């Protein structure tokens, strides 16, 4: 192809450029036309007249050997300074090695990730590697929450190169590649159709296609024939096919590719691009007049920008004379490869091109860093009719967005969702990504025939049809879960026997895909999660204890003694006597209420202290020490009576429980459900295995607890909460749940490890479990509830002395302190008795005699008449009587009523511990003492 604008100016410096393309392909023709236009545009620039780029085209003819031969020819005979191509990855691999040897830059549009830029210093990738689109595909899959995909790729190096990176990108979003379909380039239509039928038997309905256009068109035609382009299927094609979709027959697109999603590098629609497209079409039709339907694609734009970047590098080097090749040593018989020289310009060009950017490339932001073309935004399109409609974009920074606003080099998204998509079958409903029913098949749900409790799972034969019918709370819950799914799922229950070893890998028959799910009272355990996948548990989870209700204590005639332990009763009684004695000692000498015959004084000791129990004491106290003791003691009595009342009320109203926390120490037998993991749980809790008994039904639970450990039964049942809840709902009057609830994972439905149902079933479980109404209705349905019984996990035990030691300590110390102060004062006042030379016995007798005598306070009254008005009146009257008895002739001395002051400035009626009755006057006989 002639280069326009290229003259025969011998003074211009020529730079030879080798071009190796597959000219038998449309892509090769498109890129070649773009390369020629790029060179012409370079020559047309006014400041580029000093250097001319001379292209040398060689056709590789889709053959690796032809490509290698063309490269050797260009490097040996033409001695080109750079090579663009080849376009195929297998051809490029060998040419890169030659470029490294000769030090000539190899600019290739090959997309295979196996071609490493880091390992090949003279390799420049002029196209995006296929691995750069894997994150885009993963983002689309994540956007629709698809958990499994099928990858269909070509059996070639370019086809298999994307698989490792795509698998890793999908694993990062927790999506599995359930199947990998490899199609040979030479496969016929029957082989392709057979492979599609095989894919249709699997559950996954999301297919990622990475094929060449000629092979992809045949695949979609056969997919249409196999019924796989209908509603419920999702197809995603990679950029290698999407960018070359114009080369696919439009009739194939219209008939067999409707609703397909595709991704391709985003090319901004600029004025320069529109002008160039017109130029390209005109030039392409001039050179290839017999070819119609070929349009400019991104590979042609990358070729144009790559040659422009090379021209920029040549200008940047600024050479005036192109250095010749440094020829190899020709003195020996050398092969063509050994005879290759070494380019002196190549090192300068590669250094300039490894990091270069075009301010306004036709393909957009064309930037090469470290020899690798940097990713640009990707466009996500939906194939509709014979065209394509943009539904969103993807960028490294913002991931998926509906609109892309370019602000310099920064992409900003308006939202995080794709636009409306027309899926295969002209459906607007997003495919769920999988399908159980294929060719009339239904979800196979395994049901254990020998479950733990019939109320949870029961399989029995129908007397009329002889068919096995499954019922129970677990099946009801499963039916509700299926109804809560956002799509319809048909299923059939298949009974199966549970093997003896419930920890074996084939316990749920899911590892070999015999069943699609297993429903029953299946406890979620860590060791079982190795083989199956569990959604969220559906009933309340945990392990607890049930014991019999001990309610006969309320009929005991001595129950009023139960609130306090015996030691507390004894201590309380002793303190009542002690406090009475202390008060008597403190009041005996100064208070007539505490004087009199000995039997009266003993009775006063008991009466006064015990009357404080109900605050009914009528006697006045005069000593401040007595008041101090009574203040503390009344507080103690208040606490004691309040605690006693609360404890007795609890005993009379709350059912009492047999002890459950001391089962290990007491040696009682404990029951558990037969075949349950609870047995191993109890053994880890240090229960003696000989004290464990297993039962199979709720009736056996009832019988064992009723008989008790001494009669061949058990003292308690320890089991999972779902079983115990059902049991208590049936026997709520007789038993109650007590003690600590230990954490467990509860019951769940078993699904295969890679089942796509897991996320949807988990959400459905949350929806059904909200509020707990369904679980309550299910328990009521499968149990004959006696009545609504309120459960209590607490017990009302007798109060012990330990709870009141502090109170008694305070009361004892205060009373002892008051008693000690009293005796110290008394001994001080009678110190003359202690100072005599009499024997100790006589001294003690004298002290006791003085203590027994009433203390005379008359002197103090006379000395302080100002105490109150009544005292003053009494004093005056007494003095007058002593001076002249005739003054009061008609007043008998014994009938004179006066109010006696206690010497402390207050009358007895003002005492804090007097009765609530009106104060009475004290009758005193006027004697000659006055």
């Amino acid at each position: 192809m002639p280069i326009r604008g290229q003259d025969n100016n011998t003074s211009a410096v020529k730079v030879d450029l080798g071009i190796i393309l597959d000219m038998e392909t449309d892509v090769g023709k498109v890129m070649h036309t773009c390369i020629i236009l790029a060179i012409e545009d370079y020559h047309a620039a006014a400041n580029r007249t000093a250097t001319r780029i001379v292209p040398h085209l060689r056709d590789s003819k889709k053959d690796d050997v032809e490509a290698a031969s063309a490269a050797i020819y260009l490097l040996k005979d033409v001695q080109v300074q750079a090579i663009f191509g080849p376009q195929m990855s297998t051809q490029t691999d060998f040419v890169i090695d030659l470029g490294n040897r000769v030090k000539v830059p190899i600019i290739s549009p090959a997309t295979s990730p196996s071609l490493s830029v880091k390992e090949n210093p003279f390799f420049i990738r002029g196209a995006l590697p296929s691995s750069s689109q894997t994150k885009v595909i993963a983002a689309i899959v994540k956007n629709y929450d698809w958990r499994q995909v099928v990858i269909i790729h070509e059996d070639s190096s370019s086809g298999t190169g994307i698989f490792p990176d795509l698998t890793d990108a999908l694993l990062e979003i927790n999506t599995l590649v359930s199947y990998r379909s490899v199609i040979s380039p030479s496969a016929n239509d029957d082989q392709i159709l057979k492979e599609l039928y095989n894919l249709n038997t699997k559950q996954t309905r999301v297919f990622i296609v990475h094929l060449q256009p000629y092979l992809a068109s045949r695949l979609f035609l056969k997919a249409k024939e196999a019924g796989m382009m209908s509603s419920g299927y999702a197809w995603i094609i990679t950029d290698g096919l999407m960018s070359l979709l114009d080369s696919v027959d439009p009739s194939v697109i219209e008939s067999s590719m409707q609703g397909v999603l595709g991704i391709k590098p985003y090319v901004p629609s600029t004025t320069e691009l529109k002008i160039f497209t017109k130029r390209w079409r005109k030039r392409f039709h001039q050179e290839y007049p017999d070819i119609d339907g070929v349009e400019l694609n991104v590979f042609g734009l990358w070729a144009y920008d790559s040659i422009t970047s090379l021209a920029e590098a040549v200008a940047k080097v600024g050479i005036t004379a192109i250095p010749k090749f440094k020829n190899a040593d020709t003195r020996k018989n050398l092969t063509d490869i050994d005879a290759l020289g070494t380019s002196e310009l190549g090192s300068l060009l590669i250094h300039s091109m490894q990091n270069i950017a075009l301010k306004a490339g036709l393909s957009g932001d064309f930037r090469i860093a470290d020899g690798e073309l940097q990713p640009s935004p990707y466009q996500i399109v939906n194939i509709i009719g014979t065209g394509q409609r943009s539904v969103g974009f993807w960028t490294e920074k913002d991931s998926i967005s509906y609109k892309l606003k370019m602000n310099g080099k920064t992409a900003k998204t308006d939202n995080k969702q794709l636009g409306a998509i027309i899926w295969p079958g002209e459906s607007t409903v997003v495919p769920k990504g999988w399908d159980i029913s294929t060719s009339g098949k239904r979800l196979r749900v395994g049901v254990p025939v020998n479950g733990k409790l019939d109320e949870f799972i029961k399989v029995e034969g129908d007397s009329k049809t002889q068919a096995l019918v499954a019922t129970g709370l677990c099946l009801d819950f499963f039916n509700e879960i299926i109804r809560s799914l956002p799509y319809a799922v048909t299923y059939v229950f298949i009974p199966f026997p549970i093997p003896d070893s419930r920890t074996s890998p084939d316990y749920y028959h899911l590892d070999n895909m015999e069943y699609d799910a297993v429903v029953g009272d299946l406890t979620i355990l860590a060791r079982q999660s190795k083989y199956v996948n569990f959604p969220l548990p559906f009933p309340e989870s945990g392990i607890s204890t049930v014991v019999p209700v001990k309610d006969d204590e309320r009929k005991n005639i001595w129950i009023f003694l139960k609130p306090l332990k015996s030691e507390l009763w004894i201590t309380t009684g002793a303190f009542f006597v002690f406090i009475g004695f202390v008060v008597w000692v403190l009041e005996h000498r100064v208070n007539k209420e505490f004087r009199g015959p000995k039997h009266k004084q003993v009775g006063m000791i008991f009466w006064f202290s015990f009357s404080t129990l109900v605050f009914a004491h009528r006697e006045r106290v005069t000593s401040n020490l007595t008041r101090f003791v009574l203040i503390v003691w009344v507080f103690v009595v208040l606490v004691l009576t309040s605690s006693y009342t609360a404890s007795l009320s609890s005993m009379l109203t709350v059912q009492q429980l047999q002890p459950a926390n001391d089962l290990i120490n007491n040696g009682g037998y404990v029951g558990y459900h037969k075949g349950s993991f609870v047995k191993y749980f109890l053994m880890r809790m240090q229960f003696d295995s000989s004290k464990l008994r297993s039962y199979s039904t709720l009736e056996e639970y009832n019988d064992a607890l009723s008989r008790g450990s001494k009669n061949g039964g058990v003292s308690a049942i320890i089991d999972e909460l779902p079983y115990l809840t059902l049991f208590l709902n049936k026997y709520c009057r007789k038993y109650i749940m007590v003690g600590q609830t230990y954490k467990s994972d509860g019951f769940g439905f078993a699904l295969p490890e890679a089942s796509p149902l897991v996320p949807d079933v988990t959400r459905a479980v949350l929806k059904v479990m909200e509020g707990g109404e369904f679980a309550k209705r299910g328990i009521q349905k499968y149990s004959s509830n006696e009545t609504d019984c309120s459960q209590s996990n607490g017990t009302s035990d007798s109060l012990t002395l330990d709870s009141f030691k502090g109170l008694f300590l305070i009361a004892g110390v205060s009373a002892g302190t008051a008693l000690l102060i009293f005796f110290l004062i008394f001994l001080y006042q009678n110190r003359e008795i202690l100072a005599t030379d009499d024997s100790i016995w006589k001294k003690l007798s004298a002290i006791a005699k003085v203590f027994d005598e009433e203390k005379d306070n008359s002197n103090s009254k006379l000395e302080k008449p100002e105490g109150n008005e009544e005292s003053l009146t009494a004093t005056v009257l007494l003095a007058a009587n002593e001076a002249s008895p005739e003054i009061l002739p008609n007043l008998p001395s014994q009938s004179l009523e006066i109010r006696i002051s206690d010497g402390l400035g207050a009358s007895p009626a003002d005492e804090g511990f007097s009765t609530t009755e009106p104060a009475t006057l004290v009758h005193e006989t006027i004697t000659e003492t006055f």
Side-chain angles (χ1 to χ4, degrees), residues 751-802:
L751 301 170
E753 284 189 293
S755 174
L757 278 172
V758 174
D760 293 330
V761 170
T762 298
R763 284 189 286 268
V765 169
L766 290 174
K767 181 179 179 181
V768 173
M769 288 298 293
E770 286 181 354
E773 292 299 326
F774 182 82
K776 292 179 181 178
R777 294 196 304 268
I779 291 176
Q780 292 290 339
K781 177 181 178 181
Y782 290 98
S783 63
S784 55
N785 189 9
E786 298 175 358
T787 183
D788 292 333
C789 301
S790 59
Q791 298 183 5
S792 172
N793 290 333
T795 63
S796 298
D797 294 329
S798 300
L799 300 176
T800 64
L801 178 60
D802 294 336

Side-chain angles (χ1 to χ4, degrees), residues 97 224 387 418 706 741 749 757 800:
D97 293 336
K224 179 71 174 180
L418 296 176
S706 299
T741 298
F749 302 133
L757 278 172
T800 64

Side-chain angles (χ1 to χ4, degrees), residues 590-603:
V590 296
N591 195 336
K592 287 185 62 65
E593 300 281 354
F594 292 87
R595 299 190 61 80
K598 293 183 179 179
H599 67 275
K600 179 182 177 181
Q601 297 183 47
V602 172

Side-chain angles (χ1 to χ4, degrees), residues 49 74 94 97 116 175 187 215 221 252 413 545 609 656 703 705 742 752 764 775 801 848 894 920:
T49 56
L74 293 173
F94 179 72
D97 293 336
S116 174
T175 298
L215 191 57
L221 282 173
V252 175
T413 59
T545 305
S609 61
Q656 297 302 292
D703 179 67
L705 287 171
Y742 299 92
L801 178 60
Q894 62 271 22
T920 59

Side-chain angles (χ1 to χ4, degrees), residues 212-230:
Q212 295 294 330
Y214 73 94
L215 191 57
S217 60
R218 294 166 56 202
L219 174 77
F220 281 104
L221 282 173
K222 293 304 174 183
K224 179 71 174 180
E225 182 180 338
M228 299 175 67
M229 296 303 299
S230 58

Side-chain angles (χ1 to χ4, degrees), residues 188-261:
N188 55 40
D189 291 348
D190 292 337
Q191 291 173 331
I192 294 175
L193 186 60
K194 181 180 179 181
E195 179 63 19
L196 288 172
Y197 279 134
N198 178 44
L199 295 178
N200 205 26
T201 61
K202 305 183 183 304
Q203 295 183 357
T204 308
R205 292 294 178 264
V206 181
F207 304 98
I208 300 173
V209 181
H210 183 62
L211 298 173
Q212 295 294 330
Y214 73 94
L215 191 57
S217 60
R218 294 166 56 202
L219 174 77
F220 281 104
L221 282 173
K222 293 304 174 183
K224 179 71 174 180
E225 182 180 338
M228 299 175 67
M229 296 303 299
S230 58
S231 177
Y233 291 83
W235 295 82
I236 303 174
I237 58 178
T238 59
D239 65 349
L241 173 58
M242 192 67 221
S243 298
L244 303 177
L245 193 62
D246 293 334
S247 61
V248 178
D249 189 344
S251 63
V252 175
I253 298 176
E254 189 172 8
S255 65
S256 306
M257 296 185 68
Q258 296 303 293
V260 174
L261 284 183

